[in-house]
Amino acid sequence: MIISDAQQIKMLSSSEMDLIHEGTCRVLSQIGVKVTHEDIAELLVSKGAQRKGDRVLIPKNMVEKALADTAKTIQFDAPNPDYGFTVNASENQAKFGTGGQALYMVERTSEGWKEKLAGAHDLKQILALCDQLENVDFITRPVECDVPEDQMDVEKAKIFRDYSSKPMNLANLFKRDRLDEVLDIIGDPAYVSFIVCLVSSPLVMDTPSGDKLKAIVEKDLPVAISSCTQGGSTAPFSEVGELMQLNAEVLFGYVLANAIRPGAKVLYRGIPITSNLYSDGSPRWCQPESIRRVALATQLCRYYNIPCCATAGVSDEAEPSAQAISEKVLCWTYIIASGGHYINSALGMLNQVMSVSLDQYVIDDILLKIVKEKFKKNESKEVSHLAMDAMVEGLKLFGITVDEKIEEELRARIEHVEKSLEPYNEDNVSQQVDIIEKAVTQSGGSTVFMKASRVGLRKGYLYTGNRIDSPLDLTRVDERLEAVSIPE
Amino acid sequence: MSEQELLNELEHVILMGHINEEDEGLDGTMQGTPGTEELVKKALEEGIDPEKLLKTFGKAMEKVGEKFESGEFFLPDMMASGECVGNAMEIVEPKLAAGTSYEKGKFLIATVQGDLHDIGKNIVATMIKGAGYHVKDLGIDVPADNILEAIKEYEPNFVGLSALLTTTMTEMEQVVKRIREEGYSDIKIFIGGVPTSQEFADKIGADHHCKDAMEALNKLEKVRDAS
């Protein structure tokens, strides 16, 4: 889908974006990233980085050179050529895919929704289903195979080869020495891309991931460099602080990838969500404040004019529900409007990335169509109105009566997504850099972030609203599932 | 300030999660004012019985627990209060009469090898320390050999293992197996982390699965009381 320039939302001014960029460069040049991989540290030093103990400090000019060098267009081919597409950094084109590494499949039974451990058979079923869903543009591995780790890459490649005709994002490469074998099985490297979580938050490079990134980039394959910070536990609770840390972690990946191969085909995948500091610290993927932060990261990526792999639609709900519908539609709408190009984890995902469900893939396919139509038919309408209209229509389609109380709740969520709760200024940037530095230089960084979150918690950084709780009419889902062919 | 006033003030700063003069406390206004560490030192200098301080810590943490249950306090508030008491215990312990100890038991905690996640582990460690246990935190990505070595040296009553990845659950299983094979059958093993479950704990021979820090603390207290 293509959105108009008028529909693109910019929640920060260009001077506020500049401030985040400058703060990010301070994080990378003053605090740096812990790197224990000697070859990678030496490579970075040879390109202009400095070492300070076990940390590698990246100067601003290296960051900006990597942003200039990196690929601005990336082609994703597919076994069925009709499904191939190009991501162009400057275009407002959005493509949608699955995502995950979910542990569980959620299935409908006569006793309600049941969860079971996912494996290779579920991967086959999901791929076969998604190959037939019209709003799935590409496939990112949704679940892993239940085989020993050294066979994981090969087994996964065989299933992708047999069950998908769309562009294939295999996500995690388990064993880099199996990469050639994987590409042989798939048949054409142009179909394949990966995701690498290079930096563990806060600011520690994962050594095996460094090797995997090297292997992938040397083959000139597209790779999304991913960071998923959790404000309040692995990053500052402040959105300014979290954005700077997340951006530093992703841009470190750009620096490394482009040091390995200038013009590397890298996508920016920044997922700054929050921790549930009201109770157990668990991630809040699809709550309004997290949607806002992921939208800001997406807009930051577009500010850099680089290809954006956004993540949208991971519900916090354990099973398909009215609440999940409202979360997903709101999230997609704002991430599309923020300029996400290659939007993964968009379909099927529940329970904070822990679960997927065949029913949910179908529900999401239907809902995505509604969202796309809202953008297409209302080229000059504000995003808040598009989101409201799409949520109401999506809920009604699954049998939910949308009364005034529900509408009020939906409006409150939209308001929280669009509202800034803290200042974007030099003082706040400096304060947040200090918190990040304290967290990375002390043991138990998460406690530093948590303690610093108390004031923000009381200022309402975490959205508190009402859950939308109403039974779903799944007749449409049943009809769709009956119409598709899925391996038994 | 009278003895009772000092103890009341100590209870208040613990409740506010005000660790020392450097932090801002619950409401963000307490930087520069005496925190838990300063007040505990002052109380000891003034000759207040350390046992009275321990009672104050317990009373404060009980109130923190009540406020968390009622929704007035949040996770970071509990963490900060837990850290206040943990730090205060370290100051008080040398002053306790010979042969007595504040410890409810020794708890060794680690995130297993291959896993770099520390959030859950840190929350549990802080809360348990705040509840009066002696906690040895081995950190993240800890090989089984190091955990066994630490058990031998530290002689814990309880071991807590954390894993957030499906791939590191197998490592957790190996660690539990090694602990049992080495003959440490009396050590109660607690496991936690998103992909784990009581079913998994039963399968690998761990004693308890905990879904969050509060459950870990509650189960630990029950196990301790029962023993």
Side-chain angles (χ1 to χ4, degrees), chain A residues 101 103-104 149 152 174 200-201 204-206 230 233-234 275-281 283 354 431 438 443-447 450-455 457-458, chain B residues 16-19 23-28 68 72-81 83 116 118-119 122-123 126 166-167 169 194-197 211-213:
Chain A
Q101 199 173 19
L103 291 176
Y104 304 105
E149 197 177 311
M152 203 80 91
F174 282 86
S200 297
S201 304
V204 178
M205 195 197 88
D206 177 50
Q230 283 182 46
S233 57
T234 67
S275 283
N276 188 354
L277 299 181
Y278 289 133
S279 59
D280 60 358
M354 297 304 293
Q431 196 185 341
K438 197 174 170 190
S443 64
S446 55
T447 58
M450 275 199 191
K451 277 185 291 177
S453 69
R454 285 176 286 177
V455 175
L457 258 177
R458 285 168 173 84
Chain B
M16 297 297 281
H18 185 28
I19 298 160
D23 74 75
E24 56 186 14
L26 179 69
D27 59 4
F68 183 72
E72 187 184 340
F73 269 22
F74 307 126
L75 184 59
D77 307 323
M78 281 212 305
M79 291 277 289
S81 296
E83 194 170 334
L116 302 174
D118 71 351
I119 307 168
N122 288 347
I123 296 171
T126 306
T166 43
T167 47
M169 285 167 75
V194 173
T196 62
S197 62
K211 67 176 169 56
D212 56 33

Side-chain angles (χ1 to χ4, degrees), chain A residues 169-199:
Chain A
N169 188 319
L170 301 181
N172 186 19
L173 176 68
F174 282 86
K175 301 285 177 191
R176 68 189 161 110
D177 54 1
R178 307 298 291 265
L179 181 54
D180 285 333
E181 208 177 335
V182 165
L183 297 179
D184 282 347
I185 291 167
I186 298 287
D188 188 341
Y191 306 158
V192 179
S193 57
F194 289 93
I195 297 174
V196 170
C197 302
L198 181 66
V199 176

Side-chain angles (χ1 to χ4, degrees), chain A residues 25 149 156 246 285 367 384 404 409 461 464:
Chain A
C25 291
E149 197 177 311
K156 184 166 58 177
L246 171 113
W285 280 84
L367 293 171
S384 57
E404 272 184 29
E409 171 61 29
Y461 284 12
T464 50

Side-chain angles (χ1 to χ4, degrees), chain A residues 153-173:
Chain A
D153 297 306
V154 167
E155 186 66 22
K156 184 166 58 177
K158 286 177 185 166
I159 295 173
F160 265 79
R161 177 196 62 196
D162 294 343
Y163 291 92
S164 183
S165 62
K166 296 180 177 178
M168 305 169 182
N169 188 319
L170 301 181
N172 186 19
L173 176 68

Side-chain angles (χ1 to χ4, degrees), chain A residues 10 32 39 59 67 177 244 254 256 294 307 334 340 358 379 433 445 459 484:
Chain A
K10 289 179 179 169
D39 290 349
L67 287 167
D177 54 1
M244 289 192 303
Y254 272 77
L256 177 56
V294 177
Y334 273 90
L358 293 180
E379 286 203 357
V433 172
K459 281 185 181 170
V484 294

Side-chain angles (χ1 to χ4, degrees), chain A residues 364-416:
Chain A
D364 291 347
D365 189 58
I366 295 168
L367 293 171
L368 257 178
K369 191 175 181 184
I370 294 173
V371 174
K372 285 181 177 181
E373 279 174 1
K374 293 292 170 205
F375 274 96
K376 195 176 173 184
K377 288 180 183 166
N378 304 282
E379 286 203 357
S380 57
K381 219 169 184 179
E382 280 183 22
V383 180
S384 57
H385 293 125
L386 294 176
M388 188 69 185
D389 292 351
M391 284 191 287
V392 169
E393 189 174 328
L395 288 165
K396 284 181 177 171
L397 201 68
F398 288 94
I400 293 129
T401 306
V402 181
D403 57 17
E404 272 184 29
K405 204 176 158 193
I406 291 181
E407 281 193 1
E408 195 180 319
E409 171 61 29
L410 299 177
R411 267 194 295 276
R413 293 180 191 179
I414 289 170
E415 194 182 324
H416 198 97

